[in-house]
Amino acid sequence: MRNRMLAAALAFGIALAGGAAVAAPATAAPVSPAASNSKVWGSFFKGRTDLALDPAAAAALTSLGVKVKPVFAGRTGSAISFPIVGNPSDGTIEHIGGLVLQAGHTRLYLTNYTIDLNRGVLSGLVNFRQRADLFTLGAATPQGVTLALTPGAASVLNSTFGVTAFTPGLVIGYGNPVLR
């Protein structure tokens, strides 16, 4: 599994670079899969999951001075889109890319998401190191499946940004997996 994820990340990087090993400026924005060659993206990825932030959560993050930016992810309308890799038929939906939450010089990276349909959770790597359960999957709504903070994720967010605003069960957004 780890080899598949590394291969996917490598292929994703090569596709972003247009097939050549080139260095991009540090300020370069991630390329949206929709803006790239659709034949490359369509044949490699198993689909995408679109994440839309809950308006109240987005307002709360803004009031705390926390900005949310995609990392190796695209955009589909106002949603952030994460490419699906792996085999979703095994009960998990694995992604590359993620988000960085930033306030001033403080950054928290949440990447390489896995939706575990059997456990009803979305996990990810925290600062590229340790996998943790980040969200519980809730009810399906017209906006998508609700994503609510786990106790561990709320604790990490509060300690990282020096606040107490993040509580377990707080709905952060809505996820919509779109499989090919």
Side-chain angles (χ1 to χ4, degrees):
M1 170 51 84
R2 183 168 173 80
N3 290 340
R4 279 197 326 227
M5 296 292 285
L6 290 173
L10 178 61
F12 184 72
I14 290 170
L16 283 178
V22 296
T27 58
V31 175
S32 167
S36 299
N37 183 337
S38 62
K39 289 182 182 181
V40 171
W41 296 108
S43 64
F44 184 75
F45 297 117
K46 307 288 194 263
R48 69 178 196 273
T49 295
D50 297 335
L51 170 68
L53 288 177
D54 179 79
L61 288 167
T62 300
S63 73
L64 295 171
V66 177
K67 296 178 183 177
V68 179
K69 297 178 185 178
V71 175
F72 292 119
R75 293 250 182 213
T76 302
S78 62
I80 301 169
S81 298
F82 305 99
I84 296 173
V85 296
N87 181 7
S89 67
D90 69 359
T92 62
I93 303 173
E94 298 150 333
H95 303 81
I96 58 173
L99 298 171
V100 59
L101 287 74
Q102 181 175 351
H105 296 292
T106 302
R107 291 185 179 121
L108 177 65
Y109 289 88
L110 304 172
T111 59
N112 292 39
Y113 304 124
T114 297
I115 299 171
D116 187 330
L117 298 172
N118 299 316
R119 295 189 315 123
V121 297
L122 183 150
S123 66
L125 294 180
V126 177
N127 286 329
F128 306 108
R129 291 187 186 107
Q130 184 174 351
R131 181 160 295 278
D133 291 344
L134 302 173
F135 303 103
T136 57
L137 307 179
T141 70
Q143 296 89 357
V145 174
T146 58
L147 300 172
L149 283 177
T150 63
S155 176
V156 166
L157 287 165
N158 285 328
S159 65
T160 299
F161 296 109
V163 298
T164 59
F166 300 102
T167 58
L170 176 68
V171 173
I172 293 294
Y174 306 93
N176 283 310
V178 180
L179 300 173
R180 290 193 303 121

